[in-house]
Amino acid sequence: MLEDTINTSQFTDGKLKTATMYGQFLITGVSFVNGVSSFTVNRQARILSSNIRVGNGIMHIVDRMLTPAARTIAQEIEANPDYSIFTQALKETGFYDQLNKIDADTSKRWRTVIAESNQALADSGYNSYAALKARYSQLGNPMNSKDSLNMYVAYHIINGLYFLGDIINFNAQLTLLPEEVITIKHQNQEVILNEMEFNGVLEKGVTLLRPSSDNSATNGVWHSSNGHTMAKFRKPQALYWDVAMFPELMNQPAYFRRQSFYFPRPTATDKPIASIDWDWKAASSGIQYFYGGTGTPDIFNVNRDRIALNFGGPNRATWAEFKTPTIIKGRYKVWICYIAQTASLTNVFVNGIPMSRQVDFSDGAGRMPAGTPEERESIGWKNYVTSNSPNRHNARLVGIVDIATTGVQTVRFESVSGTGNNALQLDMIHFIPVDENQIVPRFAPDGSMSYIP
């Protein structure tokens, strides 16, 4: 049972957006038997009859009983003999015990594991645990956090619950190995990890195997990769961040990319959004999530949504802070992508460092300088959406920042002057390495990218 009404048009090759009333997620997909395709649930059952409307919801009829996960991630991986080498590595490094616990605090409970099968390890020359240990355990003590075998296992564990449908929303994820990330690419329906170009040479990544991934456990989920991978040197990687993607919103499937939602002013003990902080003591300072809309400017918003905050004027917020997704350390140009609204002259800070340019959030239609995309970029302007129609979408270069530590960063806006409601209208923030193209990609309303300037 789900406290939502979800028909098969919302089924994906992965988890449903809403957890069951038992607290676990259902996985949907499609199977082909005797030339007939059917929706499946949890790889356990086929849907025989779907979308049955009743007075208080929707029913789907399946052909066999659905059973919830009853084992921890550690127990799930250990129960599969195809992962015996990886299981032994978990035990020898102490991570098995960590993955065999269920924390009562759900904010600390969930882990995501990228497991490597015996075959994936054998393909890289490791036919036994002894061979893997001989390669990595340079200190001879896998329990030591500085031992490379310990680092190898830590690199395959992520804090949080990330099914395949969640992973593809990020360009990188921090692992339990400090400051080390797994990079993520979604290509041709495949989720590829750690594929990157270095010194002009493409280093092939590993692919998450859909049929053997999205395995639910009582304390998280685990996936299987088709190859062996370890932490490697990372060059800076562009982040094209849709600021309207944060857990408190994404966990509300009735609203996320469906309809608008208002996050009211918090209280001293009830802060509704962990990754966004703002001057909420102001009388008019709730965070507004806008989705849809049939006119300008909403039809051009990336993913058709935006974040708005009353900013700058009397009784309105005077500052706001946003926590970014993971950014790899390096030197970046920072672009603020916004929808022009009421005047609000604003200073921007990244990790407390003031950027060299302010943003006037009233700069919109008719304010972008004439010239080629390259000429505009040279003076700190670009069009980040695919439409060339007159609208209020602009991106302003606010400065260059050196990200010293891989991880989550803080972007802060401080009002210099302002007058109106919804004066801070944010769509995206781009962190682009200084030596990469700043003009493209541009983004369509469905979130797709175009490399046409």
Side-chain angles (χ1 to χ4, degrees):
M1 297 181 65
L2 288 76
E3 293 185 294
D4 199 354
T5 51
I6 300 178
N7 60 38
T8 52
S9 68
Q10 298 169 279
F11 285 11
T12 61
D13 185 11
K15 78 175 178 72
L16 298 181
K17 290 185 176 182
T18 304
T20 67
M21 294 175 70
Y22 189 70
Q24 295 183 9
F25 287 89
L26 296 177
I27 306 298
T28 57
V30 176
S31 68
F32 297 90
V33 179
N34 297 325
V36 178
S37 62
S38 303
F39 285 109
T40 61
V41 182
N42 279 13
R43 304 191 187 95
Q44 298 172 351
R46 291 185 303 118
I47 292 182
L48 300 178
S49 183
S50 61
N51 303 324
I52 303 169
R53 288 280 179 179
V54 294
N56 60 346
I58 295 176
M59 294 197 307
H60 306 284
I61 310 300
V62 296
D63 65 351
R64 65 187 63 190
M65 180 183 293
L66 298 175
T67 56
R71 296 182 292 203
T72 63
I73 298 175
Q75 293 167 342
E76 281 278 331
I77 297 175
E78 183 181 24
N80 192 324
D82 291 337
Y83 296 84
S84 60
I85 298 175
F86 192 80
T87 297
Q88 189 64 23
L90 287 173
K91 291 181 176 180
E92 293 281 333
T93 55
F95 285 104
Y96 182 95
D97 292 336
Q98 292 188 33
L99 297 174
N100 199 33
K101 298 176 181 178
I102 303 176
D103 198 310
D105 183 349
T106 56
S107 66
K108 302 177 182 178
R109 174 186 302 178
W110 307 112
R111 294 282 174 86
T112 300
V113 175
I114 311 298
E116 295 179 356
S117 68
N118 295 348
Q119 185 61 58
L121 289 165
D123 290 342
S124 293
Y126 309 115
N127 292 290
S128 65
Y129 172 72
L132 187 69
K133 182 177 180 180
R135 165 64 178 83
Y136 283 114
S137 185
Q138 89 283 9
L139 299 180
N141 179 13
M143 286 284 187
N144 189 322
S145 62
K146 296 183 179 179
D147 186 274
S148 292
L149 183 59
N150 189 286
M151 294 179 180
Y152 159 76
V153 176
Y155 186 68
H156 288 71
I157 304 174
I158 301 168
N159 275 325
L161 184 68
Y162 298 101
F163 289 82
L164 292 182
D166 304 310
I167 288 176
I168 61 175
N169 290 317
F170 301 89
N171 70 325
Q173 281 285 1
L174 272 174
T175 68
L176 294 195
L177 184 58
E179 286 197 47
E180 295 296 341
V181 301
I182 290 178
T183 59
I184 301 159
K185 180 186 295 184
H186 188 216
Q187 181 175 300
N188 298 327
Q189 302 303 312
E190 292 185 335
V191 181
I192 304 172
L193 308 180
N194 285 351
E195 182 163 290
M196 60 184 296
E197 185 175 312
F198 185 64
N199 288 336
V201 178
L202 179 65
E203 296 183 3
K204 297 292 291 182
V206 299
T207 300
L208 294 185
L209 302 170
R210 286 184 178 273
S212 50
S213 293
D214 275 346
N215 303 294
S216 295
T218 54
N219 59 344
V221 59
W222 65 281
H223 308 287
S224 179
S225 68
N226 71 342
H228 172 64
T229 190
M230 183 49 180
K232 59 181 72 174
F233 171 77
R234 305 283 177 198
K235 69 173 186 176
Q237 179 173 323
L239 171 67
Y240 303 103
W241 172 31
D242 182 342
V243 296
M245 284 181 57
F246 49 90
E248 293 83 358
L249 180 61
M250 297 168 71
N251 291 337
Q252 299 199 53
Y255 294 96
F256 181 57
R257 293 181 182 169
R258 291 193 192 179
Q259 59 179 309
S260 299
F261 186 78
Y262 181 74
F263 288 92
R265 295 169 58 209
T267 66
T269 58
D270 180 23
K271 187 169 178 293
I273 310 174
S275 59
I276 305 176
D277 196 9
W278 69 96
D279 184 13
W280 50 267
K281 292 182 180 180
S284 176
S285 64
I287 291 282
Q288 179 75 54
Y289 170 71
F290 285 103
Y291 176 78
T294 57
T296 303
D298 287 328
I299 58 173
F300 300 117
N301 296 341
V302 178
N303 293 312
R304 299 194 66 203
D305 56 12
R306 56 188 162 101
I307 291 292
L309 174 65
N310 294 337
F311 203 68
N315 298 319
R316 297 174 176 87
T318 58
W319 62 268
E321 287 188 349
F322 295 78
K323 297 296 184 182
T324 72
T326 297
I327 300 178
I328 298 170
K329 60 185 177 183
R331 189 170 174 83
Y332 294 85
K333 290 185 177 180
V334 182
W335 295 85
I336 307 300
C337 307
Y338 63 94
I339 298 95
Q341 184 73 5
T342 312
S344 178
L345 187 62
T346 304
N347 291 323
V348 182
F349 301 78
V350 178
N351 296 335
I353 300 170
M355 296 292 95
S356 57
R357 287 177 172 152
Q358 297 174 321
V359 177
D360 183 347
F361 284 97
S362 66
D363 278 343
R367 300 289 292 274
M368 183 178 288
T372 67
E374 292 77 14
E375 290 170 338
R376 290 172 175 169
E377 182 206 349
S378 69
I379 55 175
W381 290 75
K382 71 173 180 177
N383 184 3
Y384 72 97
V385 294
T386 55
S387 173
N388 288 312
S389 301
N391 58 70
R392 304 206 305 267
H393 294 73
N394 289 318
R396 297 300 312 273
L397 175 66
V398 292
I400 296 175
V401 65
D402 289 302
I403 301 296
T405 303
T406 296
V408 174
Q409 318 299 324
T410 301
V411 179
R412 180 181 175 93
F413 299 90
E414 289 187 359
S415 174
V416 176
S417 62
T419 59
N421 292 335
N422 296 332
L424 190 69
Q425 297 260 3
L426 291 174
D427 196 3
M428 303 184 80
I429 298 177
H430 295 175
F431 285 79
I432 306 176
V434 293
D435 57 352
E436 292 187 8
N437 192 316
Q438 305 292 313
I439 299 171
V440 294
R442 294 165 65 192
F443 293 82
D446 64 0
S448 61
M449 296 186 291
S450 168
Y451 286 85
I452 300 174

